[in-house]
Amino acid sequence: MQLSRESKIVCGLLLIAVPSIMYGGVTLLGILTEGTAGLKPSNLSLNETQWSLWRAGHAHAGVYVVLALILQPLVDQTAFSNSVKWVARLGAPIASVVVPAGFFGLAFLPGFRWVMYIGIACLAVSMLLTGVGLLRNLRPQN
């Protein structure tokens, strides 16, 4: 399998971003264990709802990054124009930032739910475009 230059760029940036997700996990561990393990931010105390939203945001970030990595070689196999491929290629990585930001913000302000909806729309567009693009390009590659 050969990755396009575009896929290599997006995958490289996503892999560089993974340590930030790891840092979030270590921070969540610190909050959960009250500093016994992990890194606990000073003066941060979360109620049960906030804790659940932070945990969900962190989980979505990790899952969406993996999904975005898987998506890149699939986008390469579509017969779309480069501009449509970029839309499909970037939707999942954008969602991997925007949806978790919505969860983290929602822990403190109800208005952040709209941020999550924007991320969900980005992911849906990315998935739909890639799926349709793959189905439209079923010819075997020579």
Side-chain angles (χ1 to χ4, degrees):
M1 168 180 65
Q2 287 283 13
L3 288 178
S4 68
R5 180 177 186 278
E6 294 84 357
S7 285
K8 289 177 185 177
I9 290 169
V10 174
C11 287
L13 292 172
L14 285 168
L15 290 171
I16 289 169
V18 167
S20 68
I21 298 169
M22 294 166 61
Y23 175 77
V26 171
T27 303
L28 284 172
L29 180 62
I31 294 168
L32 176 64
T33 64
E34 297 180 2
T36 305
L39 303 170
K40 184 175 188 325
S42 60
N43 301 326
L44 179 64
S45 180
L46 301 176
N47 65 34
E48 200 59 38
T49 301
Q50 291 170 326
W51 166 249
S52 295
L53 289 167
W54 275 41
R55 189 174 54 217
H58 180 68
H60 280 77
V63 170
Y64 287 0
V65 163
V66 171
L67 183 59
L69 285 166
I70 292 168
L71 185 75
Q72 300 310 308
L74 298 176
V75 171
D76 287 344
Q77 299 303 311
T78 65
F80 289 134
S81 68
N82 281 338
S83 58
V84 174
K85 282 185 179 183
W86 271 110
V87 172
R89 190 178 301 288
L90 293 179
I94 290 169
S96 75
V97 173
V98 175
V99 170
F103 276 111
F104 299 143
L106 188 58
F108 300 100
L109 296 170
F112 269 84
R113 71 182 181 278
W114 295 108
V115 174
M116 289 183 6
Y117 297 148
I118 291 166
I120 291 166
C122 289
L123 184 63
V125 166
S126 185
M127 296 296 108
L128 289 170
L129 280 175
T130 304
V132 168
L134 289 170
L135 291 173
R136 289 181 58 196
N137 193 27
L138 292 174
R139 289 168 277 143
Q141 302 267 335
N142 292 330

